[in-house]
Structure formats: structure tokens, C-alpha cells
């Protein structure tokens, strides 16, 4: 499955809106871990790496940021600024986040438990691994 924006259910209510997601239903994997990114100083960049196994879904619960996804040849920028959709990123893609607005809160749901061995942090290594693969984005 390719990288894509997934819209989540949105229950509109005069008391305030509500959105939700279910493991394996609204997103195409079972959730093993959730983490969040917050208090990011202006101008910072996070998440410059790829994962061998991890699939993830990133929702910007508050504020805004850009996610740049790179398949080894092409890159795509996704600007996220609503809490009722997120970006699904399958394994094997290089991604980073930038352009965080003040007080942005980003929730990441992941298909794997934390495992440093799942990271590809070296861009040259990533590019080597991507050589025989077709375009993904
Ligand atoms: P990292 O994923 O490298 O952050 P970024 O994607 O923004 O570069 O994580 C930063 C540090 O936090 C790293 O030392 C690993 C640790 N960490 C955990 O221990 N558990 C987790 O679930 C995550 C996401 C990170």
C-alpha cells in the first residue's frame, strides 16, 4: 500500500467534535505503539530516517506541520493541520517532519514496538537499499 492521506470519522456535535480510529479498520495495520511529538522549537526538523518494518499513521492533533516522504527518487510534501485525517506511511520510505507551528501536537501510531534495529538512519544506506525497488510515491 502506498503513502496516502486517510480521512477519519468525524462526529460533528455542537458540544465539540470527535474523531477516532480503530486498529486494522481505519488504518491498514494493527497498532502496537503510540507516541507523540510536542514542544518542538521553531525551525526544528524531526524524524529524518526510514523504517524497515514499521508502518505508521501520523495525525496532527493540534497545530500544523509538513511531512516530506522520499522513496529514493521522488519526494512528496504533505501539509497536515487538521485532527480528522492523517498520513499513512508504509515501511521503506524516508520521511521527515518540518515547519512545525508553535504548540503543534503530532500523534504517531505504529505497527511495531520500539526497535532501534528497525531504523535506517543513514541516507546512503537507504538509497542503496532502494536501488532495485520501483517508485513508491
Ligand atoms: P526518533 O524516532 O529517533 O526521533 P525522530 O524520529 O524525531 O528523529 O526517537 C528519538 C529518541 O527517542 C531515540 O533515542 C529513540 C527514542 N524512542 C523510544 O525510546 N521509543 C519510541 O517509541 C520512540 C519513537 C523513540
Amino acid at each position: 500500500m502506498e503513502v496516502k492521506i486517510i480521512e477519519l470519522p468525524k462526529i460533528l456535535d455542537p458540544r465539540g467534535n470527535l474523531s477516532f480510529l480503530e486498529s486494522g479498520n481505519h488504518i491498514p495495520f494493527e497498532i502496537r505503539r503510540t507516541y507523540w511529538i510536542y514542544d518542538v522549537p521553531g525551525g526544528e526538523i524531526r524524524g529524518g530516517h526510514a523504517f524497515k518494518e514499521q508502518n505508521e499513521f501520523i495525525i496532527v492533533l493540534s497545530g500544523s506541520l509538513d511531512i516530506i516522504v522520499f522513496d529514493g527518487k521522488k519526494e512528496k510534501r504533505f501539509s497536515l493541520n487538521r485532527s480528522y485525517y492523517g498520513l499513512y506511511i508504509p515501511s521503506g520510505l524516508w520521511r521527515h517532519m518540518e515547519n512545525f507551528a508553535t504548540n503543534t501536537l503530532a500523534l504517531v501510531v505504529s505497527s511495531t514496538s520500539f526497535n532501534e534495529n528497525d531504523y535506517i538512519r543513514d541516507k546512503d544506506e537507504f538509497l542503496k537499499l532502494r536501488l532495485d525497488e520501483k517508485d513508491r510515491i
Side-chain angles (χ1 to χ4, degrees):
M1 191 163 313
E2 304 303 311
V3 59
K4 63 174 180 181
I5 294 282
I6 297 177
E7 286 244 5
L8 298 170
K10 188 177 179 190
I11 314 293
L12 297 174
D13 192 310
R15 299 170 302 157
N17 300 334
L18 180 152
S19 288
F20 60 93
L21 65 84
E22 290 171 357
S23 197
N25 182 0
H26 305 95
I27 53 169
F29 59 83
E30 296 295 324
I31 298 169
R32 292 290 304 276
R33 177 169 49 119
T34 303
Y35 62 93
W36 45 99
I37 297 167
Y38 54 99
D39 289 350
V40 177
E44 284 295 342
I45 293 177
R46 296 222 48 146
H49 48 68
F51 295 109
K52 297 173 198 160
E53 298 287 336
Q54 175 181 312
N55 299 319
E56 62 187 359
F57 182 66
I58 304 176
I59 311 167
V60 174
L61 293 178
S62 182
S64 63
L65 56 73
D66 292 347
I67 305 177
I68 294 92
V69 183
F70 176 58
D71 68 3
K73 289 180 189 153
K74 289 180 287 162
E75 68 172 32
K76 260 191 193 170
R77 177 180 295 264
F78 297 88
S79 296
L80 272 62
N81 57 9
R82 292 285 185 274
S83 52
Y84 54 84
Y85 63 77
L87 185 67
Y88 168 68
I89 309 177
S91 60
L93 294 170
W94 189 275
R95 52 75 160 167
H96 76 267
M97 291 170 241
E98 64 182 30
N99 221 4
F100 287 81
T102 306
N103 289 331
T104 291
L105 170 61
L107 183 75
V108 184
V109 292
S110 163
S111 65
T112 63
S113 302
F114 176 73
N115 175 10
E116 184 59 44
N117 294 327
D118 192 45
Y119 282 72
I120 304 168
R121 293 189 183 274
D122 183 80
K123 205 154 196 184
D124 290 335
E125 185 192 343
F126 170 73
L127 287 169
K128 260 183 234 153
L129 289 169
R130 299 292 319 163
L131 274 181
D132 340 313
E133 307 239 3
K134 285 191 258 145
D135 294 359
R136 295 277 302 274
I137 58 174

